[in-house]
């Protein structure tokens, strides 16, 4: 079993980004600038935004966090997005999800300038993804693809089963992995809460991606011998031995599944770190596009 070490490869990628940024600064360009909009104070969202800001600093990006009260009106949020769209000094921005219920998430995402849409959630960019055109691939799928590349995981002709049909992970990853490219050329199945004979389908997976947000859901009997298992889950479970009172676990019962796998990504230390680094890659891409460099 080989561990898909997100800590190691995300650090490698950050070094590569930093070198790139340093070379642009030397040539007289300004720093790449990422802005994150956070509505409300959900602890998980606050943590994610903080770690995105911290990673920006590590690679020499400027970052700004715009934090709004959870009762901000949809109209006001759309105005803020318009300002960022028009701000020459902003290369890319994200609206951290989920948003409060009174805000129409699709309307908000569609208001983002596709050229600054570093999350790749705008319908225009998702359309380009389906068509196999150059685009901002959403950060978690992009991180998984990069992880596959760096470990030379063979995807051609393989049965990939993705557990979870979210717009952020399951659907864009499925689209990417059927494209005529590497990683891709796979036979992809998305399974979800209404899927019949779930275990049979999961056991058929050469590559299993778990993205449903249920701690330890994937058990040993659901995984084929020598499968590649990629765990996207970031779940908090109570742990009184920790100062915080909780610990983070994935969607896979790692302890019992790991020995069966050819490759497996741990939680923490796996896909989560790749997601953050992919957002940096998308920001750098937006910055380069802006200057034609
Ligand atoms: N919420 C959970 N994952 C993500 C992500 O990748 N981007 C944003 N904006 N919100 C999220």
């Amino acid at each position: 079993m080989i561990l898909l070490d997100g800590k190691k490869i995300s650090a490698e990628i950050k070094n590569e980004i930093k070198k790139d940024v340093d070379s642009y600064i030397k040539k007289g360009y300004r720093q790449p600038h990422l802005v994150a909009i956070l509505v409300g104070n959900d602890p998980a969202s606050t943590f994610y935004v903080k770690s995105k800001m911290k990673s920006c600093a590590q690679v020499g990006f400027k970052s700004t966090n715009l934090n709004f009260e959870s009762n901000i009106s949809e109209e006001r949020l759309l105005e803020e997005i318009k300002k960022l769209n028009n701000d020459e000094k902003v290369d890319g921005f994200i609206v951290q999800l989920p948003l409060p219920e009174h805000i129409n998430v699709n309307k908000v995402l569609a208001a983002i300038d596709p050229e600054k849409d570093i999350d790749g959630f705008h319908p225009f960019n998702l359309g380009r993804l389906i068509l196999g055109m150059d685009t901002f691939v959403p950060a978690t799928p992009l991180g998984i693809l990069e992880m596959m590349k760096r470990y030379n995981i063979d995807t051609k002709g393989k049965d990939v089963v993705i557990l979870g049909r979210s717009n952020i992970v399951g659907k864009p990853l499925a689209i990417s992995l059927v494209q005529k490219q590497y990683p891709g050329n796979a036979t992809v199945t998305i399974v979800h809460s209404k899927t019949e004979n779930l275990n049979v389908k999961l056991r058929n997976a050469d590559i299993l991606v778990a993205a449903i947000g249920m701690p330890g859901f994937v058990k040993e009997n659901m995984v084929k011998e020598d499968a590649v298992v990629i765990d996207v889950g970031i779940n908090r479970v109570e742990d009184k031995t920790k100062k915080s009172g909780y610990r983070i676990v994935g969607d896979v019962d790692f302890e019992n599944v790991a020995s069966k796998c050819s490759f497996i990504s741990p939680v923490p230390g796996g896909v989560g770190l790749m997601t953050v680094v992919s957002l940096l890659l998308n920001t750098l891409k937006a910055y380069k596009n802006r200057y034609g460099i």
Side-chain angles (χ1 to χ4, degrees):
M1 182 274 287
I2 295 171
L3 208 60
L4 297 166
D5 190 345
K7 201 167 170 179
K8 178 168 153 257
I9 50 178
S10 66
E12 279 170 17
I13 298 170
K14 278 185 190 168
N15 275 334
E16 292 162 15
I17 297 173
K18 174 109 184 40
K19 270 191 198 145
D20 237 13
V21 173
D22 288 347
S23 77
Y24 293 127
I25 303 290
K26 259 193 202 139
K27 286 179 194 150
Y29 291 96
R30 63 162 174 77
Q31 286 175 292
H33 183 197
L34 176 152
V35 176
I37 294 182
L38 175 63
V39 179
N41 55 5
D42 172 70
S45 291
T46 305
F47 174 82
Y48 296 142
V49 168
K50 268 194 194 150
S51 76
K52 288 168 187 177
M53 304 282 115
K54 198 172 132 198
S55 298
C56 280
Q58 288 169 347
V59 298
F61 287 7
K62 180 180 173 183
S63 69
T64 307
N65 176 206
L66 299 178
N67 205 343
F68 300 105
E69 298 287 334
S70 58
N71 62 359
I72 185 175
S73 69
E74 184 180 285
E75 194 185 3
R76 172 82 204 291
L77 185 57
L78 292 170
E79 273 167 26
E80 293 294 335
I81 288 172
K82 205 168 167 186
K83 272 194 234 163
L84 294 173
N85 285 341
N86 294 326
D87 189 338
E88 286 292 320
K89 294 204 168 73
V90 173
D91 299 296
F93 63 99
I94 63 156
V95 179
Q96 187 65 31
L97 304 180
L99 287 170
E101 292 222 335
H102 68 278
I103 295 175
N104 181 336
V105 61
N106 287 333
K107 206 165 160 186
V108 166
L109 296 178
I112 298 172
D113 178 349
E115 291 186 6
K116 295 191 178 188
D117 174 36
I118 48 176
D119 255 334
F121 294 165
H122 190 287
F124 179 85
N125 285 323
L126 288 171
R128 291 179 66 92
L129 184 72
I130 289 177
L131 297 171
M133 297 165 76
D134 183 53
T135 186
F136 295 109
V137 178
T140 302
L142 184 60
I144 294 170
L145 298 171
E146 194 57 40
M147 192 175 232
M148 287 174 160
K149 269 190 211 166
R150 295 203 178 217
Y151 280 90
N152 288 315
I153 289 172
D154 188 15
T155 56
K156 187 172 157 190
K158 301 296 175 195
D159 281 306
V160 175
V161 179
I162 300 171
L163 182 51
R165 54 178 155 177
S166 72
N167 291 337
I168 294 179
V169 184
K171 283 192 263 184
L173 181 64
I175 296 298
S176 299
L177 286 172
V178 292
Q179 302 290 11
K180 293 180 185 171
Q181 61 191 17
Y182 174 76
N185 281 309
T187 305
V188 183
T189 307
I190 297 184
V191 295
H192 48 78
S193 56
K194 303 290 184 288
T195 295
E196 292 182 358
N197 302 315
L198 179 69
N199 287 11
V200 174
K201 289 177 174 91
L202 292 178
R203 268 201 304 272
N204 185 47
D206 301 310
I207 300 172
L208 197 165
V209 181
I212 46 164
M214 295 175 76
F217 179 88
V218 176
K219 304 275 187 272
E220 192 186 353
N221 66 346
M222 303 175 185
V223 178
K224 180 155 115 178
E225 200 72 45
D226 288 332
V228 176
V229 172
I230 295 176
D231 192 348
V232 183
I234 301 178
N235 309 292
R236 284 182 183 202
V237 294
E238 197 183 292
D239 186 341
K240 295 219 168 77
T241 69
K242 301 274 179 203
K243 212 169 90 188
S244 60
Y246 67 84
R247 73 194 147 91
I248 300 294
V249 301
D251 290 347
V252 178
D253 176 10
F254 185 90
E255 215 170 279
N256 295 307
V257 170
S259 61
K260 255 189 133 169
C261 303
S262 55
F263 295 87
I264 185 166
S265 71
V267 178
V271 172
L273 297 170
M274 296 304 295
T275 297
V276 179
V277 107
S278 299
L279 188 67
L280 301 177
L281 285 171
N282 278 345
T283 308
L284 189 63
K285 183 185 175 86
Y287 170 83
K288 287 184 180 177
N289 289 347
R290 164 171 297 270
Y291 290 108
I293 50 182

